[in-house]
Amino acid sequence: MNRIKKGDQVVVTAGKDKGKKGDVVRVAGDKVVVSNVNIIKRHTKPNPQAGQPGGVIEREAPIHISNVMLFNPASGKGERVGIKVLEDGRKLRVFRSSGEAVDA
């Protein structure tokens, strides 16, 4: 079970965008794409068949999953996440500091 999922609100803990908050758009292995974080400029050629204009396009680049923390709205900070196994075998994500469930 991954500690960070699509749709989670995270805080960047390292790099040029340290301290920024955003929602996870995509998780791919050990990298995540966070909205409005790690913006890069991509120079693209026009593709008339796809109706795509050329030019400089700004988009989000992936950031390593170790450089983000899940945002806890109760404390207002990024916190570590653990996994708790329930009696029926289901797994539940919990904040390490308080023990409360993430998906509550």
Side-chain angles (χ1 to χ4, degrees), residues 33-55:
V33 176
V34 183
S35 62
N36 298 322
V37 172
N38 199 19
I39 301 292
I40 60 166
K41 291 183 188 289
R42 176 111 175 116
H43 295 73
T44 58
K45 291 176 79 173
N47 186 351
Q49 293 172 337
Q52 184 181 25

Side-chain angles (χ1 to χ4, degrees), residues 23-34:
D23 294 327
V24 175
V25 177
R26 186 171 68 246
V27 179
D30 59 351
K31 303 243 182 185
V32 292
V33 176
V34 183

Side-chain angles (χ1 to χ4, degrees):
M1 181 180 210
N2 230 348
R3 286 170 166 71
I4 295 179
K5 294 181 177 179
K6 178 180 174 180
D8 287 342
Q9 191 172 20
V10 294
V11 179
V12 179
T13 59
K16 65 175 184 175
D17 293 321
K18 181 176 180 178
K20 285 189 178 179
K21 280 192 285 187
D23 294 327
V24 175
V25 177
R26 186 171 68 246
V27 179
D30 59 351
K31 303 243 182 185
V32 292
V33 176
V34 183
S35 62
N36 298 322
V37 172
N38 199 19
I39 301 292
I40 60 166
K41 291 183 188 289
R42 176 111 175 116
H43 295 73
T44 58
K45 291 176 79 173
N47 186 351
Q49 293 172 337
Q52 184 181 25
V56 181
I57 297 171
E58 289 188 347
R59 65 182 184 101
E60 297 102 356
I63 186 169
H64 199 271
I65 204 163
S66 66
N67 294 331
V68 295
M69 288 181 109
L70 204 60
F71 181 73
N72 188 352
S75 67
K77 296 188 284 187
E79 294 190 3
R80 296 189 303 158
V81 177
I83 295 172
K84 184 178 182 181
V85 180
L86 302 175
E87 292 85 25
D88 58 356
R90 290 185 295 135
K91 293 179 181 179
L92 186 68
R93 296 186 300 163
V94 294
F95 288 112
R96 292 259 179 100
S97 61
S98 60
E100 65 182 57
V102 174
D103 306 313

